């Protein structure tokens, strides 16, 4: 199951909040590492979605061009 940008972003915000509340340095550092990881995953999810939309646009253009070629060859 693929996760969404919103899911990863939410986890990153939770980790950032945990880091702010942390009294212990090691806990804060762990939360900051988690935030960095979640932010990276969020960025990747956003890129995948952009790439998916772009690929669909390209496929739609190709289908339209093929349909136009078929229509013109039938005439």
């Amino acid at each position: 199951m693929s996760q969404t940008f919103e899911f990863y972003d939410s986890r990153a915000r939770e980790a950032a909040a945990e880091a702010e509340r942390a009294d212990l340095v090691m806990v804060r550092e762990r939360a900051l590492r988690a935030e960095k990881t979640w932010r990276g995953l969020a960025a990747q999810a956003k890129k995948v979605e952009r790439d998916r939309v772009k690929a669909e646009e390209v496929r739609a253009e190709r289908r339209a061009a093929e349909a136009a070629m078929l229509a013109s060859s039938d005439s």
Side-chain angles (χ1 to χ4, degrees):
M1 174 171 86
S2 65
Q3 298 295 337
T4 64
F5 168 81
E6 291 78 15
F7 172 81
Y8 292 128
D9 185 60
S10 175
R11 300 291 89 69
R13 286 185 276 113
E14 289 173 8
E18 180 183 354
E20 283 188 34
R21 292 189 309 268
D23 292 329
L24 300 175
V25 172
M26 293 179 74
V27 173
R28 184 177 311 110
E29 289 174 352
R30 182 192 67 213
L32 290 172
R33 283 192 309 273
E35 178 190 13
K36 182 178 177 181
T37 300
W38 287 120
R39 296 255 179 242
L41 291 168
Q44 180 64 24
K46 190 164 272 204
K47 180 185 179 310
V48 166
E49 183 57 31
R50 278 193 310 265
D51 291 349
R52 187 175 293 136
V53 168
K54 178 67 176 168
E56 181 53 39
E57 289 171 356
V58 168
R59 284 191 296 274
E61 289 171 4
R62 188 178 306 131
R63 286 190 300 265
E66 289 171 357
M69 286 178 55
L70 285 174
S72 67
S73 67
D74 288 343
S75 311

